[in-house]
Amino acid sequence: MNGGVLRVVVVDDHPLFRLGMTSLLTSLTGLDVVGQAADAATARTLVDATVDVVLMDLDLGGESGIDLTRELVRAHPGLAVLVVTMSEADESVAAAIRVGARGYLLKDATPEAVERGIRAVASGEMIMGARVAARAMSHLVGGRTAVRVPFPELTAREREVLDLLARGYDNAVISRRLVLSPKTVRNHVATILAKLSLSDRPAAIVRAREEGLGLDEV
């Protein structure tokens, strides 16, 4: 974040939607659209460590927004991806969350919902559109398998810190990778230990790796 302004990149292969979304976002206080991409190749050149949020369509003219999300989140662990797409299929929602998206909205979301979603994912929250959330809840009530997110008691930001902790990074490295102050990282680590009832960092690393965190290649 640059001076309190969220830097946003819009990735969508539909020019009218992309331009309309860009126009909306540039009219909002505290948001700065620093790039637009119609395909994965362009998105890779636009998204760097200074970008806070990417609005991601899942269908990029034959390319996969899921694969691109996975790639960008791995390259920039502090990046927040908010999916904005036409598909409300359960498989699409599950796949997006698995690869690191922090939010999932449909393209008929209101401008207010989009703004709220951007600010929420940028602050480390997970957010879903009303219809998407309702479907997920119905699956829980109906006994169907829901998307499994490790350590649901943690915020998305806390899971990011735990993932990097599980890779063996110290607070200084985590601070640099997530663009957080060392004090904020220390506070996150303390909160993680408390929420998971763990005694120390080694215990947290073991527990995180048991749940699959910290195991992917950097």
Side-chain angles (χ1 to χ4, degrees), residues 129-205:
R131 290 212 309 274
V132 174
R135 287 173 63 91
M137 183 60 68
S138 70
H139 294 164
L140 287 173
V141 173
R144 292 177 57 180
T145 301
V147 179
R148 184 178 181 279
V149 177
F151 307 114
E153 60 268 58
L154 302 182
T155 66
R157 176 64 84 189
E158 288 163 355
R159 278 192 294 273
E160 289 176 340
V161 171
L162 182 56
D163 181 65
L164 294 177
L165 188 67
R167 298 176 191 270
Y169 297 139
D170 61 21
N171 285 3
V173 175
I174 295 173
S175 173
R176 289 195 298 272
R177 291 181 69 91
L178 297 184
V179 197
L180 298 172
S181 72
K183 179 180 179 181
T184 298
V185 173
R186 287 197 301 272
N187 290 341
H188 279 314
V189 171
T191 300
I192 290 166
L193 295 178
K195 284 185 176 181
L196 301 183
S197 300
L198 298 169
S199 58
D200 52 28
R201 294 170 71 100
I205 291 172

Side-chain angles (χ1 to χ4, degrees), residues 203-216:
I205 291 172
V206 171
R207 184 78 176 87
R209 289 181 176 175
E210 288 175 348
E211 292 295 315
L213 296 183
L215 301 179
D216 293 336

Side-chain angles (χ1 to χ4, degrees), residues 6 8 25 31 53 55 82 113-122:
L6 293 174
V8 181
L25 299 184
L31 301 182
V53 179
L55 266 61
L82 175 61
V114 173
E115 179 182 7
R116 185 167 59 249
I118 290 173
R119 299 190 192 281
V121 298

Side-chain angles (χ1 to χ4, degrees), residues 69-77 99 167 177 216-218:
T69 296
R70 179 191 294 111
E71 179 182 339
L72 294 179
V73 169
R74 283 184 173 179
H76 309 288
V99 299
R167 298 176 191 270
R177 291 181 69 91
D216 293 336
E217 296 181 2
V218 181

